[in-house]
Amino acid sequence: MMIAMLMATVAMQAQTKFHDVEANDAQGPVKSLEISVMGQTQKFNFTKEGKMDEGSSLVDAVYDADGYMQSAKMKIMGNEMPIAYKWENGRVISQSSNMMGQEVKITYAYNDKGAVASQTIEGGPQSMTINYTDFQYDSHGNWISRKTSMMGQEMEQKRTITYYE
């Protein structure tokens, strides 16, 4: 009986109240995530409960009862752009926003390790799919390097992830 209670307590501690880490294509007790693409770096910090730090570019987040972000506003060049999220099986399957009066939707497909393998961006009459390859993973199963090709040029995306432990 005591062992069962202890195991239940450990399982509860492993679960997070919020799922902002998963919204950023990662899993586990992530403390910070820094991504570098074409010389531009973005850093996201997370609380132990899995919520993105208020210092990020997302503000006014709205969550459902299970801690999944349903909507937020992204700060871009002094403006706030609303974003809505759709989830399925603990993963973001799409996000939509309105950029300068244009509805933009991004749909995600995942690989067998749970990382985003491709994203399709639809805006007006145009659509573009970005595929990711050559994944490298850290000891927690999160990708830390992946490649993509855009307009005939290969690019590498790198992430540095720190964990609560």
Side-chain angles (χ1 to χ4, degrees):
M1 178 77 155
M2 189 66 138
I3 293 173
M5 286 174 45
L6 183 60
M7 288 175 65
T9 302
V10 169
M12 286 172 53
Q13 288 174 344
Q15 295 174 348
T16 58
K17 182 176 178 183
F18 297 98
H19 300 279
D20 294 1
V21 170
E22 290 89 342
N24 284 278
D25 195 20
Q27 59 191 1
V30 173
K31 185 176 186 176
S32 70
L33 186 151
E34 191 171 307
I35 185 165
S36 177
V37 182
M38 294 179 10
Q40 299 286 359
T41 302
Q42 275 190 299
K43 185 172 184 178
F44 303 96
N45 296 310
F46 302 91
T47 65
K48 285 186 178 184
E49 292 80 31
K51 189 173 186 178
M52 199 177 321
D53 190 323
E54 288 297 318
S56 75
S57 59
L58 286 181
V59 295
D60 298 336
V62 175
Y63 296 89
D64 69 8
D66 295 319
Y68 290 95
M69 189 184 306
Q70 300 300 297
S71 65
K73 292 178 185 165
M74 180 179 282
K75 292 182 188 177
I76 299 177
M77 297 183 289
N79 295 314
E80 290 184 355
M81 178 180 67
I83 300 174
Y85 296 89
K86 292 216 186 286
W87 295 79
E88 190 174 282
N89 299 323
R91 295 181 179 156
V92 175
I93 57 167
S94 70
Q95 72 180 55
S96 52
S97 58
N98 190 310
M99 289 184 170
M100 298 180 279
Q102 180 76 39
E103 190 67 29
V104 176
K105 181 178 181 181
I106 304 172
T107 306
Y108 300 96
Y110 293 84
N111 66 16
D112 60 345
K113 293 190 181 241
V116 172
S118 69
Q119 58 183 356
T120 301
I121 304 167
E122 300 173 64
Q126 298 179 330
S127 177
M128 174 175 73
T129 299
I130 301 168
N131 295 304
Y132 300 102
T133 60
D134 300 336
F135 287 86
Q136 293 179 15
Y137 296 91
D138 67 10
S139 62
H140 290 264
N142 288 313
W143 71 266
I144 53 172
S145 175
R146 65 183 181 184
K147 292 181 181 173
T148 188
S149 181
M150 201 176 291
M151 295 181 272
Q153 184 175 347
E154 189 173 275
M155 292 181 282
E156 184 175 17
Q157 295 180 338
K158 291 183 173 263
R159 295 199 305 187
T160 303
I161 304 173
T162 58
Y163 295 91
Y164 287 103
E165 293 190 76

